[in-house]
Amino acid sequence: MAVYKRKFNPYEGERTPAWSRLFILPRYAYQDVFASRIVTAFFVACFFWPLICAAVIYIRYNVSFLETFGLNLGDFDGVLAINANFFLNFLYIQGFLSFVLTILVGPGLVSADLSHNALPLYLCRPFSRSEYVVGKMAVVLILLSAITWVPGWVLIGLQASLAGWGWLAEQWRVVPALFLGSWVWIATLALLSLAVSAWVRWKPVAAATLFGVFFILPAIGQFTNAVLDVDFGNAFNLILVFFTIWAWFFEIPTHDHLTLFEAWLALVAFCGLSLLILNRKLRAYEVVS
């Protein structure tokens, strides 16, 4: 049939809302993420620690279970204390697991699109760069939320139901502290992983670079402190930065050589640098001089 005889009609079906278009990216990205048995197995393993914490809470208020083994609750009162320190330690463990999960998932989110020049295919549609970034970040944000603050709130609900809602009235700060502490952590991980993925473009090297940001850069900071006899090198230690911020959220004193202002300033600097890298690298075309 000749081309001029064809009739092309515009699409008249149901259109998806503009705000939901960015969720197309995580929907298809999860197919690739969970196609890996290693990622799937590790994601399931991330729920072992919340289950252990739930068992500790249950044992704390089940005296008959301890008496079965001839134990007394008073002997474990300090170990089984459910307070702000308990949930801060929960966040420490889940924070480390979420970092490992980010290394497995994050470095490949953007690098493949840039390596194969696929970004123009996204941006030629009614899809902005900010929506692209948020959609890619959502892949990490949703995964890490599922293993951090979501099970944390379940544990808080379990503790409040067993200990009585008076406990929650006394320890109410753990609810926003766990939520805000988790979101600051996972948002930073998502932003850093995207920036490293866009900058390096090769997944193994991007994973190694993200690992170096958290473990090699602090060593450089300590070397700077020793050579120049200063303390600002601690700001390069993102783990120390987050420990300081988390301790402030939970109102737990810390003895680290980093003030709260310095911790927030370092965090803003890392996130700002990540946004600059994304703004520079995520373009529909590249001008080569």
Side-chain angles (χ1 to χ4, degrees):
M1 181 183 295
V3 175
Y4 71 89
K5 292 183 179 181
R6 294 180 180 269
K7 295 182 179 180
F8 296 94
N9 299 319
Y11 177 74
E12 297 178 354
E14 184 180 357
R15 297 180 182 272
T16 57
W19 61 267
S20 64
R21 291 171 185 167
L22 59 89
F23 292 105
I24 297 174
L25 299 180
R27 184 177 67 184
Y28 286 99
Y30 287 139
Q31 297 179 3
D32 296 331
V33 168
F34 290 106
S36 171
R37 294 182 179 179
I38 296 177
V39 176
T40 304
F42 184 80
F43 180 72
V44 173
C46 290
F47 293 95
F48 288 172
W49 179 243
L51 290 176
I52 293 174
C53 292
V56 170
I57 294 175
Y58 175 78
I59 294 172
R60 175 68 175 80
Y61 296 98
N62 194 338
V63 180
S64 60
F65 180 84
L66 294 176
E67 292 177 349
T68 304
F69 298 93
L71 302 175
N72 186 8
L73 180 61
D75 300 334
F76 299 90
D77 194 39
V79 178
L80 301 180
I82 313 299
N83 48 27
N85 277 304
F86 177 86
F87 290 100
L88 180 59
N89 291 328
F90 167 82
L91 186 57
Y92 285 162
I93 301 298
Q94 293 303 104
F96 173 75
L97 295 177
S98 61
F99 170 72
V100 178
L101 186 60
T102 303
I103 289 182
L104 295 175
V105 175
L109 291 177
V110 177
S111 59
D113 294 339
L114 295 177
S115 299
H116 298 89
N117 295 321
L119 195 58
L121 298 178
Y122 290 98
L123 301 183
C124 70
R125 292 167 172 81
F127 206 77
S128 64
R129 284 198 303 166
S130 59
E131 289 176 324
Y132 176 83
V133 172
V134 175
K136 290 293 185 177
M137 286 182 62
V139 178
V140 179
L141 296 178
I142 296 173
L143 282 178
L144 301 193
S145 294
I147 64 173
T148 52
W149 66 270
V150 172
W153 273 12
V154 172
L155 292 176
I156 292 174
L158 176 63
Q159 166 65 14
S161 64
L162 294 176
W165 297 104
W167 174 89
L168 187 59
E170 295 177 358
Q171 302 285 342
W172 64 269
R173 191 177 179 88
V174 299
V175 178
L178 187 60
F179 179 79
L180 296 176
S182 299
W183 266 105
V184 170
W185 172 248
I186 64 181
T188 304
L189 283 179
L191 195 58
L192 282 174
S193 63
L194 256 65
V196 171
S197 180
W199 183 27
V200 179
R201 299 190 181 187
W202 191 24
K203 185 176 179 179
V205 179
T209 303
L210 188 61
F211 181 86
V213 170
F214 281 87
F215 293 100
I216 298 178
L217 197 60
I220 298 176
Q222 291 299 321
F223 178 78
T224 303
N225 290 342
V227 172
L228 302 180
D229 193 20
V230 294
D231 291 330
F232 66 83
N234 294 327
F236 293 99
N237 191 339
L238 267 178
I239 298 177
L240 182 60
V241 167
F242 278 101
F243 280 3
T244 304
I245 294 175
W246 286 347
W248 175 69
F249 279 141
F250 284 91
E251 288 189 331
I252 296 176
T254 179
H255 303 288
D256 297 325
H257 300 288
L258 190 65
T259 65
L260 181 63
F261 174 78
E262 292 172 340
W264 280 110
L265 186 62
L267 183 61
V268 171
F270 273 100
C271 293
L273 181 60
S274 300
L275 288 174
L276 288 176
I277 293 175
L278 289 174
N279 183 62
R280 176 66 181 84
K281 296 296 183 179
L282 297 183
R283 298 179 181 274
Y285 59 90
E286 183 177 0
V287 177
V288 180
S289 58

